[in-house]
Amino acid sequence: MNTTVATIVITLALVLMLGSVIAAVRDRAMGMVLLIGFALLEVAVLVQAGFVIAAVAGGAGPEDKVTLFGYIAGEVLIPPAGVFLGLAERSRWGSAILAVAGFAIAVMTARLLQVWQGQA
Amino acid sequence: MSGDGTEPRASRDDRPPVSGDGIGTGPGRALVAVYGLFALAAGSRAGVQIATRFGEAPLAYTLSAFAALVYVVLTVALVRGARRLAFAALGVELAGVLLIGTASLVDPAAFPDETVWSAYGRGYLFIPLVLPVVGLYWLRRRR
């Protein structure tokens, strides 16, 4: 699995989490910056999914493929779901939702790396 | 008579629409997000466990699935503003995390694999333990 992509995903997710927390603390609803940020995160997550699928197709990867793809699928779902709820909730709590989404992506990518290395 | 009788009269009975301050909006929407996430996490974990190795730890995996079900019910109850259902599910969740948490520490042999509620949700930053308390507080506050 491509560790560079995973590092980018985790870093971006943590930066977006921080930005969302700041927005929530300042009592701001989700704005354009966060919207674009999470769109970028979704692209990064999809690229990562592509790398994982390619590597698995090439015969690499752990024994536990179900868990691996479970994490991949979950990660692809979370940014759009977070943005959907963030757009529905036009208050600081919309930003709080995005903080949760960013944190979830960071943790899940870390877990994805562990699963890849077989430490399920 | 001032009007033609067709316009609805603004009376004392007029209340703001419930959807504006339901249990699933504002901070409640953040709860929906967290519960949705846990429904996904617990549901996927239970799905994988039951589909691939149910025989190894039937009790733990059945409880995983039960926890996932509780999270799904709570997510839906919050979104739809079903207070009583949400209260009941939060009670079940709190009881579940306390019982399973204790049981997993007292009799680790019965729980050879993790569930969301093992050791009071240690594998999930103890969020499963805090969540029902936050949820009950929120439901009490938002009337």
Side-chain angles (χ1 to χ4, degrees):
Chain A
M1 186 178 155
N2 194 315
T3 3
T4 313
V5 179
T7 310
I8 292 171
V9 169
I10 292 177
T11 310
L12 185 57
L14 289 178
V15 167
L16 286 171
M17 178 186 86
L18 191 65
S20 308
V21 167
I22 291 171
V25 169
R26 293 179 65 207
D27 207 359
R28 301 284 164 84
M30 165 197 176
M32 197 48 94
V33 175
L34 285 177
L35 181 66
I36 294 170
F38 274 88
L40 284 176
L41 183 63
E42 178 70 8
V43 171
V45 164
L46 285 171
V47 167
Q48 176 175 253
F51 271 106
V52 168
I53 291 168
V56 168
E63 203 136 304
D64 191 356
K65 301 262 190 311
V66 187
T67 306
L68 185 75
F69 286 116
Y71 274 100
I72 292 283
E75 287 204 357
V76 169
L77 280 177
I78 285 173
V83 166
F84 175 78
L85 283 175
L87 287 173
E89 181 60 44
R90 302 306 295 157
S91 73
R92 60 158 42 159
W93 299 105
S95 304
I97 290 167
L98 290 183
V100 173
F103 182 66
I105 292 285
V107 171
M108 287 172 75
T109 309
R111 284 283 297 140
L112 187 64
L113 280 170
Q114 286 182 343
V115 171
W116 184 265
Q117 287 151 12
Q119 311 159 358
Chain B
M1 296 292 251
S2 55
D4 56 8
T6 56
E7 232 169 277
R9 203 162 57 99
S11 73
R12 282 164 294 162
D13 292 332
D14 279 346
R15 297 198 175 89
V18 187
S19 60
D21 60 343
I23 54 175
T25 57
R29 191 114 53 185
L31 267 183
V32 168
V34 177
Y35 271 116
L37 190 60
F38 269 86
L40 179 72
S44 324
R45 158 163 272 172
V48 169
Q49 287 172 337
I50 288 173
T52 59
R53 45 180 190 274
F54 183 69
E56 282 175 31
L59 176 64
Y61 297 161
T62 307
L63 287 170
S64 269
F66 178 69
L69 180 70
V70 172
Y71 287 128
V72 171
V73 167
L74 263 169
T75 310
V76 174
L78 285 171
V79 169
R80 308 198 53 167
R83 284 184 69 90
R84 290 167 68 99
L85 180 60
F87 256 122
L90 282 167
V92 171
E93 188 198 352
L94 186 58
V97 71
L98 290 175
L99 285 173
I100 310 302
T102 308
S104 65
L105 294 179
V106 172
D107 185 11
F111 296 88
D113 204 348
E114 287 268 297
T115 75
V116 226
W117 289 343
S118 293
Y120 307 111
R122 187 178 49 200
Y124 292 84
L125 303 173
F126 294 105
I127 296 170
L129 182 60
V130 180
L131 215 44
V133 180
V134 174
L136 285 169
Y137 171 75
W138 165 244
L139 276 194
R140 298 267 311 155
R141 236 192 93 186
R142 188 80 136 199
R143 303 190 160 278

